Amino acid sequence: MKEKVIIKRLEEVIYKGRLLNIPIKEDHIVKKSIEVFGDDEPCIIHQSFVIKEILTNLLELFKDKDIIKGKDYIEGLSFLNYEEIESISLELVRKK
Amino acid sequence: MKVYLDNASTTNVSKEVFSAMLPYFTDEFGNPSSLHEQGIRNRKIINKSRILVADVLHCKKNEIFFTSCGTESINWAIKGLAYNTSTKGGIITTKIEHHATSETCKFLGDRGYSVSYVNVDKEGFIDLDHLRAIINDNTLLVTVIMANNEIGTIQNIKAISKICYEASTYLHVDAVQAACHTLLDLEELDVDLLSISGHKFHAPKGVGLLYVKEGTKLAPLIHGGQQELKMRAGTENVAFTVGIAKALEIGIANLGKYTKRLNSYSTLFLKRLDEAGVDYILNGPEIGENRLPGNLSLSFKELDGSVISYLLNKRGIYVSTGSACDSESIEPSHVISEIGVPIDYINATIRFSIGNETTLEEINYVIDNLIEIIKLEI
């Protein structure tokens, strides 16, 4: 999970950094925590685990490409803490 | 392949133990306190279990008390002594104890007891000179972990016991990780109290033991009926009593072979990491008589332990990290912090705990995957 991600809205970079640090909606973490642990008040270690689960799913979307467009994955990217997912794109900078 | 390398957290109930316990869930359900055949048979089996435990640990049967877990045993030992003694108010412990001990000491510390900490070195061994220096006439109890659950350090209990004896101080030993994993002879160790948990050696979760040397003044923790010599009230868990006695008997009988096999697996593990050029630190003592067999607490340079354990989990490999849950952040455990693991290694501490049922094929599978993951994550 050393990969880096660049998120753009149109041509403007709105996030550039480690995959592990991308902004995720808090309520999505809770939703995922209920799914994984049956817990709606996850401790920080459980939150950390859940975030990795979310990111593993995200990496699946990049399986055969380096850039994905929000409009193609509105549901799959709904965890991102951004409005108007359809107008953003994500680029995965793979570890060389 | 699924590989369980988290045996220091818990173990499965072995088939032999399960078979021994089974009748007491269904057919033999009588209350051991009842004076009819069903009850009497169960009273007899509890007595037999107690005798078996006493035999394998080398103590008297009236010195063995069945509890619900290691944490209960530890709480009872420490609080039970404190509640029964008004003349001394000092407790000495270490900063590398399991939370069962450290939180119990803190509880008593908040209520006026004086809690002191004996130093440990970078491998986790107690500084015996420091213990001699801080033990005093007010010291009621020294409580230490015999075999550290995180880094596997096995203390010199006989030497600690001698210091406590000379200072007329009680010694409680948390032997939760030690039982069935290292020699545990109560006659030789000469301790006053000793705690054991069944699920660390293939008995079920929910059963433990407390050894209380004859003559030790301990207050009951649970009041009620006559069970456990009126020291621990509540209807006995007959099946689990049978289970822990059976598991202890098997574990102690197999200890020699178990130790040899697990130490050879641990040695292979480190050799292969060295050959692959992995940058790591083995926390705790070197593999051998002063380290729990099968315990490999490893810290990897400039990596994230939560990521490594997550990725291992995705490949069916189950391990623990040396992390603790703070309300705001994930911190290295108190044990890892106390022994001074360097800052560039401390965040990637993983405990691999090999068990009785681990195979060589599984060990090689884990090492192959670990090396691959580390290379991906560097």
Side-chain angles (χ1 to χ4, degrees), chain B residues 35-190:
Chain B
L35 278 178
H36 50 63
E37 285 183 0
Q38 271 273 17
I40 291 167
R41 278 201 298 274
N42 277 350
R43 171 61 55 210
K44 194 173 175 185
I45 199 73
I46 291 174
N47 289 338
K48 278 185 161 183
S49 297
R50 201 185 312 278
I51 290 167
L52 175 56
V53 170
D55 281 351
V56 295
L57 293 178
H58 299 164
C59 65
K60 295 174 187 164
K61 67 177 168 59
N62 59 351
E63 295 174 319
I64 293 295
F65 296 87
F66 293 107
T67 66
S68 70
C69 59
T71 294
E72 182 193 321
S73 300
I74 291 166
N75 268 262
W76 182 14
I78 300 172
K79 290 177 189 163
L81 270 184
Y83 293 165
N84 232 19
T85 315
S86 55
T87 51
K88 292 180 173 187
I91 299 169
I92 296 176
T93 187
T94 76
K95 287 190 175 170
I96 61 165
E97 297 300 306
H98 187 276
H99 289 304
T101 296
S102 56
E103 289 298 312
T104 306
C105 290
K106 187 174 173 290
F107 172 85
L108 291 172
D110 292 343
R111 281 154 185 79
Y113 288 84
S114 143
V115 181
S116 314
Y117 297 91
V118 59
N119 293 339
V120 297
D121 67 17
K122 62 182 174 39
E123 291 184 344
F125 290 109
I126 288 172
D127 179 342
L128 298 176
D129 289 333
H130 188 230
L131 178 59
R132 279 187 204 95
I134 62 173
I135 204 166
N136 59 47
D137 291 344
N138 186 43
T139 309
L140 166 67
L141 166 73
V142 173
T143 177
V144 295
I145 188 163
M146 182 171 178
N148 191 273
N149 53 311
E150 290 192 39
I151 57 172
T153 312
I154 299 175
Q155 303 292 345
N156 184 348
I157 296 297
K158 274 177 82 175
I160 295 167
S161 165
K162 193 165 175 277
I163 295 168
C164 291
Y165 177 79
E166 284 165 2
S168 300
T169 297
Y170 287 114
L171 172 61
H172 166 251
V173 169
D174 165 4
V176 165
Q177 293 288 336
C180 297
H181 304 289
T182 187
L183 280 174
L184 200 60
D185 183 333
L186 286 168
E187 211 167 41
E188 199 179 322
L189 289 179
D190 197 22

Side-chain angles (χ1 to χ4, degrees), chain A residues 51-73:
Chain A
I51 289 168
K52 292 181 185 80
E53 287 281 284
I54 294 167
L55 298 179
T56 300
N57 293 341
L58 174 62
L59 286 173
E60 285 288 310
L61 304 181
F62 285 104
K63 217 163 193 178
D64 50 1
K65 47 183 131 12
D66 291 335
I67 296 176
I68 55 173
K69 290 183 175 160
K71 66 179 169 70
D72 299 329
Y73 299 97

Side-chain angles (χ1 to χ4, degrees), chain B residues 219-232:
Chain B
L221 197 62
I222 301 172
H223 297 86
Q226 304 279 333
Q227 295 90 354
E228 298 297 296
L229 301 173
K230 278 195 88 174
M231 291 293 282
R232 200 259 182 191

Side-chain angles (χ1 to χ4, degrees), chain B residues 259 262-271 282 284-296:
Chain B
T259 303
L262 266 59
N263 280 345
S264 76
Y265 288 172
S266 295
T267 304
L268 169 74
F269 202 115
L270 299 188
K271 184 170 170 268
L282 172 67
E286 63 182 26
I287 296 161
E289 60 179 348
N290 295 322
R291 185 182 189 98
L292 274 176
N295 170 299
L296 285 174

